[in-house]
Amino acid sequence: MTASKVLGIALLTLTVSMDGHAVAISDSAPDFTLKSLEGSNLRLEEYRGQVVLLNFWASWCGPCRQEMPLLDRLHHRYEDTGFAVLGVNVEGEVAPAQEIVDKTNVTFPILIDDGQKVSQMYNLQAMPSTVVIDRDG
């Protein structure tokens, strides 16, 4: 699958939420702060002004592992244009996430959703799940 196809599929999530209900353009993405694998805290609000592809994933999820290199290509190709990819590992543990990152060599920020609070805020129903957030949040 090409990077443009992945981006097209991800953009489709702008119009339908995880529970199948339409998302109004005026709806704001819930803000959060999570610790990255590098140890720093990242806040979604800090990405305001960029298009953000927020990808929720788990190490036990085969399709999640398969799409990681594709997401990394999107990250590298479009990061200079104000496009950010953030991976949110829903397991809440660093070790399984770090193992997958080491195997796939992804370089976009990976955040750890300890306690699955952010996953609940975004009403996740399946893995992987991707949300695209526009420049206005």
Side-chain angles (χ1 to χ4, degrees):
M1 185 177 297
T2 66
S4 60
K5 284 183 182 177
V6 171
L7 183 58
I9 291 167
L11 291 175
L12 196 57
T13 63
L14 280 173
T15 57
V16 178
S17 71
M18 301 315 296
D19 61 2
H21 293 92
V23 175
I25 296 293
S26 62
D27 289 350
S28 293
D31 189 27
F32 60 83
T33 301
L34 290 174
K35 188 169 290 294
S36 72
L37 283 180
E38 274 83 45
S40 60
N41 287 331
L42 293 180
R43 183 176 178 198
L44 180 62
E45 181 65 27
E46 295 169 356
Y47 289 86
R48 177 83 53 149
Q50 297 183 52
V51 174
V52 177
L53 187 148
L54 191 60
N55 179 258
F56 293 89
W57 66 282
S59 65
W60 47 260
C61 167
C64 299
R65 293 189 307 271
Q66 288 178 323
E67 74 180 358
M68 295 293 271
L70 297 171
L71 295 174
D72 200 54
R73 280 187 278 193
L74 284 173
H75 164 70
H76 285 289
R77 185 169 188 173
Y78 297 108
E79 69 180 326
D80 292 339
T81 66
F83 180 81
V85 176
L86 299 176
V88 179
N89 180 274
V90 301
E91 295 166 281
E93 297 178 27
V94 170
Q98 188 66 60
E99 183 179 338
I100 297 301
V101 168
D102 291 344
K103 284 182 182 177
T104 59
N105 296 314
V106 298
T107 59
F108 57 87
I110 301 295
L111 310 174
I112 305 299
D113 189 9
D114 189 21
Q116 292 78 38
K117 293 176 186 165
V118 175
S119 301
Q120 291 172 6
M121 287 170 38
Y122 282 82
N123 192 27
L124 296 188
Q125 302 293 316
M127 287 293 113
S129 291
T130 300
V131 177
V132 178
I133 304 165
D134 71 10
R135 296 181 190 281
D136 298 323

